[in-house]
Amino acid sequence: MKKYDSAALLRLCVYIQGEEVAGQWLKDNGHRELYEFWEAYEKVEKSFRWLLENNHKELAALVDGLHGDDRAKLFLLKGGHRELAALIDASSGSKPAVEWLIRFGHKGWLAVAREIFVWNKKHEKKGFWKIFDFGNPFS
């Protein structure tokens, strides 16, 4: 996996916050895969396929792991991408995962995990109608 500097991960954080200009910056500055990662997370199938076709399987696995696929997290661990596996747990509020990211110097990925955590909290279903969410009956 490509190493990302703090500027690229910061732009990813800003893109997660909804600033389209940051997404364009990622594409224009050699980090299209980070742009496609976030698009894939938001359920854009074309972006997920782009990650796979352009040899960014670890970011595709990160998307799957963030959506609850434990096999994807295992794939990341076996592939030596512990920081991405920790990001999955940190983005759901795991204190040990946050501490691991800090201890091993992955503060940029920790910032991404925080933004995903905040984004998920903002977008979770709220209110009365949530009681009628029975999941996808076709899966």
Side-chain angles (χ1 to χ4, degrees):
M1 180 174 79
K2 179 171 148 181
K3 297 288 182 201
Y4 298 100
D5 60 17
S6 59
L9 294 176
L10 176 63
R11 295 294 171 119
L12 176 57
C13 289
V14 174
Y15 186 52
I16 292 169
Q17 294 169 2
E19 294 294 327
E20 294 296 323
V21 173
Q24 190 61 48
W25 184 93
L26 290 168
K27 290 190 285 186
D28 292 345
N29 289 278
H31 302 295
R32 180 175 174 186
E33 68 277 7
L34 294 177
Y35 167 84
E36 298 292 349
F37 154 73
W38 186 248
E39 292 294 299
Y41 181 76
E42 288 192 294
K43 309 267 178 148
V44 177
E45 182 65 30
K46 180 175 80 173
S47 291
F48 190 81
R49 280 194 312 271
W50 187 94
L51 290 172
L52 293 174
E53 291 167 2
N54 289 277
N55 203 29
H56 295 286
K57 292 180 175 110
E58 70 285 345
L59 293 176
L62 178 58
V63 169
D64 281 346
L66 287 166
H67 286 293
D69 186 340
D70 289 332
R71 294 172 301 165
K73 193 164 128 183
L74 184 59
F75 171 83
L76 291 169
L77 288 169
K78 285 183 177 181
H81 304 291
R82 293 180 58 103
E83 70 281 7
L84 298 182
L87 183 153
I88 292 168
D89 292 338
S91 69
S92 64
S94 166
K95 186 177 177 182
V98 168
E99 291 170 352
W100 188 92
L101 287 166
I102 292 169
R103 184 170 2 122
F104 290 98
H106 297 290
K107 292 180 183 169
W109 287 118
L110 177 59
V112 172
R114 181 190 175 282
E115 289 305 325
I116 293 171
F117 178 84
V118 169
W119 189 91
N120 286 338
K121 287 294 179 193
K122 275 204 261 186
H123 292 87
E124 68 185 18
K125 294 177 185 169
K126 294 182 175 113
F128 175 77
W129 292 107
K130 184 172 174 134
I131 64 171
F132 294 108
D133 182 3
F134 301 116
N136 182 351
F138 305 107
S139 59

